[in-house]
Amino acid sequence: MTKMERDTLYESAREILNTKRTTRNGKLGHVASAILTRTGNIYTGVAMDLPSSIGFCAEHAAVSAMVTAGEYDIASIIAVYENGDVMAPCGRCRELINQVGEDNYDCTIYLPDGRSASLRQLLPERWDVRYLN
């Protein structure tokens, strides 16, 4: 992926950051994610971190928007924290990205400090390898 594509995703995520703290120690909109699909569309979403293990990551929200639009193949994805820092996806998000589209194992994940890696590098040991082909 090019720097321009990374910058576009970063700005798309950053634009929708809108942190709200709830009265019950929850946070909404404090992490945002943007996905670029293989067809060139961008989908975004924000995190909801609420008490009692209720909520979901920003990547989940962005993936949901993408799937709602009928797309499944991710070219690249970024997550941005409320202070503007890029974040690596958690393990649950990595697995979701992997399972949503057959080719997502090779998508680009943008990481802190201007780095990037393929999902394959971040999730090297597939649990479902025996079921492939």
Side-chain angles (χ1 to χ4, degrees), residues 9 24-26 30 49 61 74-75 93 98 102 105 111-112 119 133:
L9 283 184
R24 296 186 177 132
N25 282 336
H30 61 294
D49 186 9
I74 298 170
C93 289
N98 181 45
E102 294 300 320
Y105 204 52
L111 301 169
L119 183 59
N133 296 332

Side-chain angles (χ1 to χ4, degrees), residues 8-27:
T8 298
L9 283 184
Y10 178 85
E11 289 304 321
S12 295
R14 182 115 187 201
E15 285 175 5
I16 64 168
L17 283 168
N18 188 17
T19 302
K20 175 174 176 25
R21 283 159 175 69
T22 69
T23 57
R24 296 186 177 132
N25 282 336
K27 284 170 110 176

Side-chain angles (χ1 to χ4, degrees), residues 58-106:
E59 294 92 333
H60 281 76
V63 166
S64 180
M66 175 187 74
V67 169
T68 299
E71 293 199 65
Y72 309 93
D73 297 320
I74 298 170
S76 58
I77 185 170
I78 197 168
V80 180
Y81 189 62
E82 64 188 344
N83 67 0
D85 289 348
V86 174
M87 303 173 63
C90 71
R92 185 170 172 244
C93 289
R94 295 174 195 194
E95 194 59 54
L96 175 73
I97 293 164
N98 181 45
Q99 291 188 36
V100 167
E102 294 300 320
D103 295 324
N104 291 345
Y105 204 52
D106 294 311

